[in-house]
Amino acid sequence: MPLYHTDDQAMLAETAQQFMGEEGAIAKQLRKWRDQGCKDGFGHDLWKQMAEMGFTGLLVPETDGGLGMGHVEAGIVLEEIGRNLTPSPFLTSSVMAATALASASDEARGRWLPGLVSGESVFAVAIDEGAKHRPERIATRAERSGNGFKLSGKKDFVVHGASADMIVVAARTSGADNDEGGVTLFAVPKDAAGLGHNSVRLVDSSMASHLTLDGVELDGDAVIGEVDGGREVLGRVLDAGRVGAAAEGVGVARGAMDRTVEYLKQRKQFGRLIGEFQALQHRAAHLYSEVEIARAVVIKAQQLLDAGAENASLMASVAKAKVGKAAGLAVKEGVQMHGGIGMTDEYDIGLYMKRDRALAEFMGDVYYHADRVARLSGY
């Protein structure tokens, strides 16, 4: 498969670039909601505009009212979200939760997907139960209760958790905390009794929630997939989230790089544009190469996910690790080549560094995925 976009995908990229550049610009979205102390961290009007563009239903099958596209197309939108630092629940709702709901019953899909497609609903995914991404351990319990289940436990750093109309929760229905099997996914509505939130603002001004489930009663229709067999669905959700986060990370890296190169063309020192100094040219060229390599890896991972390839999960971790390194380099070089002003809030480059730090931890950092690649490769 070629590591570039088809004509249709290029058209989508052009549309997404124009839309996010105009409607999702930093001053219009990120700075606005940050400065207002918005409890959601994003604008619902923009979310509805994204729905009108068809973005929110990209991964939703046509039979459920969506566009029935794939991870390559979702990644195109995510890259532009990253490039403009546009706060939005697209990754958690339209990528991760939509991937989970693909395995839900007809009743559950009919209940939740129309709201996603129309932009009326926001979804979250609750997996981790500690400071770091460790999905291998699921301690939250789901015990049989009548015709359904009772959930008890806690989840940490649930992005958009307090804003979500529904949260996909991974809970244990059998076995020990670290067992591979015995995991089940549930669709938990926001008004479920016993569901609690402690909202926190992350370094990039996005919102996350420490979630508590205190005897949350759910009926059998809330189960996504098979009871005790949720690890397979969870794996698909995780891979979708990792590749999606990597795609957004590429956008963050490209946005930081673009602003840095533009600054090199404007700033004068010792009577010359600093972009004329060979040392900075070398650094900019090296950064460009790293970002393009990362972008190619992400496209490959997206293509493998869409094809259902056996090595798709491995490549998802390769992509997340590579982008983590490339985006980290982009924001560090950006701040350094801007000089002291790169540390001020007046310039946007510092905002890219903050988003990179939050995104690097989401769905596992470089070290987690480097270790996972080694394990999956048999080392």
Side-chain angles (χ1 to χ4, degrees):
M1 293 177 282
L3 298 179
Y4 53 83
H5 293 145
T6 65
D7 290 343
D8 288 343
Q9 290 164 351
M11 289 177 61
L12 174 62
E14 184 178 347
T15 301
Q17 182 177 6
Q18 181 178 355
F19 175 80
M20 293 300 172
E22 294 176 358
E23 300 299 330
I26 292 175
K28 199 170 185 178
Q29 296 294 332
L30 175 59
R31 287 186 179 274
K32 174 184 177 181
W33 301 120
R34 183 201 65 175
D35 294 347
Q36 290 182 7
C38 175
K39 65 180 181 62
D40 295 320
F42 67 91
H44 288 271
D45 288 342
L46 179 67
W47 184 234
K48 292 178 181 178
Q49 285 180 273
M50 291 175 68
E52 292 171 2
M53 298 293 292
F55 295 158
T56 60
L58 277 176
L59 290 181
V60 177
E62 292 183 77
T63 53
D64 290 318
L67 296 181
M69 293 185 177
H71 292 281
V72 175
E73 289 80 10
I76 288 171
V77 176
L78 281 163
E79 185 172 333
E80 293 306 320
I81 286 174
R83 189 198 295 262
N84 294 282
L85 301 183
T86 308
S88 122
F90 183 85
L91 180 54
T92 58
S93 300
S94 296
V95 176
M96 297 181 69
T99 298
L101 289 171
S103 299
S105 64
D106 292 342
E107 292 78 7
R109 295 202 309 277
R111 178 180 180 181
W112 299 116
L113 289 178
L116 173 62
V117 173
S118 68
E120 297 292 334
S121 298
V122 171
F123 301 149
V125 179
I127 301 170
D128 291 321
E129 301 177 359
K132 302 292 284 186
H133 178 65
R134 295 295 183 268
E136 297 82 8
R137 180 183 181 276
I138 303 292
T140 296
R141 292 282 164 174
E143 301 174 344
R144 290 281 187 180
S145 178
N147 294 325
F149 292 85
K150 180 186 293 185
L151 276 60
S152 300
K154 70 179 186 67
K155 297 289 183 178
D156 289 313
F157 297 108
V158 181
V159 178
H160 303 308
S163 306
D165 298 282
M166 183 274 289
I167 304 175
V168 177
V169 176
R172 181 161 296 285
T173 42
S174 66
D177 294 355
N178 293 305
D179 285 357
E180 176 73 14
V183 172
T184 304
L185 298 187
F186 296 88
V188 180
K190 66 177 181 181
D191 56 355
L195 181 64
H197 296 277
N198 177 22
S199 295
V200 293
R201 194 172 299 276
L202 303 183
V203 66
D204 62 339
S205 299
S206 63
M207 299 300 296
S209 177
H210 295 294
L211 194 71
T212 57
L213 301 112
D214 185 11
V216 175
E217 295 272 3
L218 301 172
D219 58 31
D221 291 337
V223 173
I224 299 174
E226 299 294 329
V227 175
D228 286 343
R231 186 67 75 170
E232 182 179 350
V233 179
L234 178 59
R236 291 197 292 271
V237 172
L238 290 171
D239 288 339
R242 289 160 180 166
V243 173
E248 185 176 343
V250 169
V252 171
R254 294 188 72 182
M257 180 180 68
D258 290 346
R259 278 162 174 73
T260 301
V261 171
E262 187 63 29
Y263 184 73
L264 295 180
K265 294 177 180 179
Q266 297 176 356
R267 175 77 166 102
K268 283 188 175 183
Q269 187 69 35
F270 306 114
R272 298 172 60 185
L273 293 171
I274 62 175
E276 295 177 5
F277 293 109
Q278 194 173 55
L280 296 185
Q281 291 176 356
H282 287 170
R283 288 166 65 179
H286 171 64
L287 176 57
Y288 175 82
S289 299
E290 289 298 306
V291 173
E292 286 302 302
I293 292 170
R295 187 167 184 263
V297 173
V298 171
I299 292 176
K300 185 64 175 179
Q302 292 165 345
Q303 291 172 341
L304 292 176
L305 276 184
D306 287 337
E310 286 187 12
N311 60 339
S313 188
L314 169 63
M315 191 55 65
S317 281
V318 172
K320 188 65 167 65
K322 178 59 182 176
V323 171
K325 298 282 282 187
L329 176 66
V331 298
K332 290 172 186 174
E333 288 284 63
V335 169
Q336 189 172 42
M337 284 194 265
H338 272 75
I341 61 169
M343 298 297 294
T344 66
D345 189 62
E346 180 182 354
Y347 282 75
D348 291 338
I349 189 65
L351 301 177
Y352 282 88
M353 177 171 275
K354 292 178 179 180
R355 180 56 184 157
D356 170 65
R357 290 311 311 140
L359 203 57
E361 294 294 331
F362 185 70
M363 293 290 108
D365 61 16
V366 171
Y367 305 104
Y368 174 86
H369 286 289
D371 179 73
R372 187 170 184 266
V373 168
R375 286 187 285 107
L376 292 178
S377 300
Y379 292 102

